[in-house]
Amino acid sequence: MRVALAQLNIQFGDPDANYEQIEVAIQRATEQTVDVIVLPEMWNTGYALTRLNVLADDDGQRTLQLLSKLARQFHVNIVGGSVAVARDGHYYNEMLVVDRQGQLLSRYDKVHRFGLMAEDRYITAGETENVFELDGTAAMGAICYDIRFPEWLRKQAARGPQVIFVSAEWPTVRQMQWRLLLQARAIENQAFVVAVNRVGSDPDNQFGGQSLVIDPLGQIVAIGGAHAQLITAELDLAQVDQVRGQMPVFEDRRPELY
Ligand SMILES: O=C(O)CCC(=O)C(=O)O
């Protein structure tokens, strides 16, 4: 599985500019042969949470239309990061995943709201898991702060995903934690982690990029810099079975005790 991580600078509170840059980034990514393109968190609005009433995507329709069109056109799977979505009078931080035919595979509302960035005041938390199949490979997705909750990722990883996709707006001040948490999630779940962070800044935070591809042993396969760029990597999925075969941690779990 060849993945492309679109590490971008998101324009604060400017959906039109962001939809345009996402389209360009996806087109550029497809100039190489890639199977999956992964986008960062809240890429349509950034954390302009106080203006979601005018900025959020109505039921995710604009996002879905764009991602489906591009997925079909370039015959590529897209893990659509997340966007601010308005639905039934609520706002969600939502990941949309589409396959090569442009079909919606999964819609996931971020479960853990990040209080330090006021999500608990503006965003409604999701309640459902995010496990899907890309070209026959089981995968799952998480959004930013979710990676601090290993039990949430583990619960889903126990259903078989070999790749964990993460979309984030992770501030530079906690960059080391970003890397260590993701390496731990890869090691404990014996899965590839493909994690995209944004770059640039908004009125409150700086974002340091360093998007990561990590193998099931926790080794870094690819890492981004602190500038906007496309990062590509090849995942050797056979490694997942190998690692799980050598050390069967999923079989050795004692869920009856915890
Ligand atoms: O957990 C963190 O340190 C960052 C989380 C975050 O920025 C987010 O969930 O948007």
Side-chain angles (χ1 to χ4, degrees), residues 8-37:
L8 298 169
N9 186 1
I10 293 158
Q11 304 308 308
F12 186 72
D14 190 348
D16 288 343
N18 289 318
Y19 281 96
E20 210 175 294
Q21 76 156 339
I22 283 292
E23 182 156 6
V24 172
I26 290 175
Q27 276 167 2
R28 289 228 175 101
T30 60
E31 284 163 11
Q32 306 177 42
T33 308
V34 294
D35 300 300
V36 188
I37 300 172

Side-chain angles (χ1 to χ4, degrees), residues 218-233:
Q219 297 169 137
I220 293 176
V221 175
I223 182 164
H227 54 280
Q229 67 185 125
L230 188 77
I231 300 137
T232 56

Side-chain angles (χ1 to χ4, degrees), residues 154-242:
R154 170 67 119 208
K155 182 168 181 250
Q156 298 172 80
R159 291 170 57 192
Q162 303 193 329
V163 186
I164 301 172
F165 293 99
V166 178
S167 298
E169 291 208 20
W170 193 279
T172 311
V173 284
R174 292 183 295 281
Q175 199 78 51
M176 185 193 69
Q177 297 174 31
W178 161 255
R179 182 173 50 77
L180 292 176
L181 286 164
L182 290 169
Q183 284 180 297
R185 298 298 82 83
I187 293 167
E188 71 205 2
N189 292 306
Q190 301 179 311
F192 279 95
V193 165
V194 178
V196 183
N197 190 23
R198 65 163 289 187
V199 295
S201 58
D202 70 12
D204 299 314
N205 288 290
Q206 273 228 301
F207 303 95
Q210 294 196 9
S211 297
L212 282 160
V213 178
I214 302 168
D215 76 13
L217 292 173
Q219 297 169 137
I220 293 176
V221 175
I223 182 164
H227 54 280
Q229 67 185 125
L230 188 77
I231 300 137
T232 56
E234 178 84 34
L235 315 186
D236 174 9
L237 295 172
Q239 224 187 316
V240 175
D241 284 342
Q242 225 171 33

Side-chain angles (χ1 to χ4, degrees), residues 67-76 78 98-100 102:
L67 297 184
S68 293
K69 179 192 89 168
L70 295 170
R72 267 197 316 275
Q73 185 180 345
F74 297 109
H75 198 58
V76 70
I78 303 175
V98 294
D99 68 12
R100 295 180 193 267

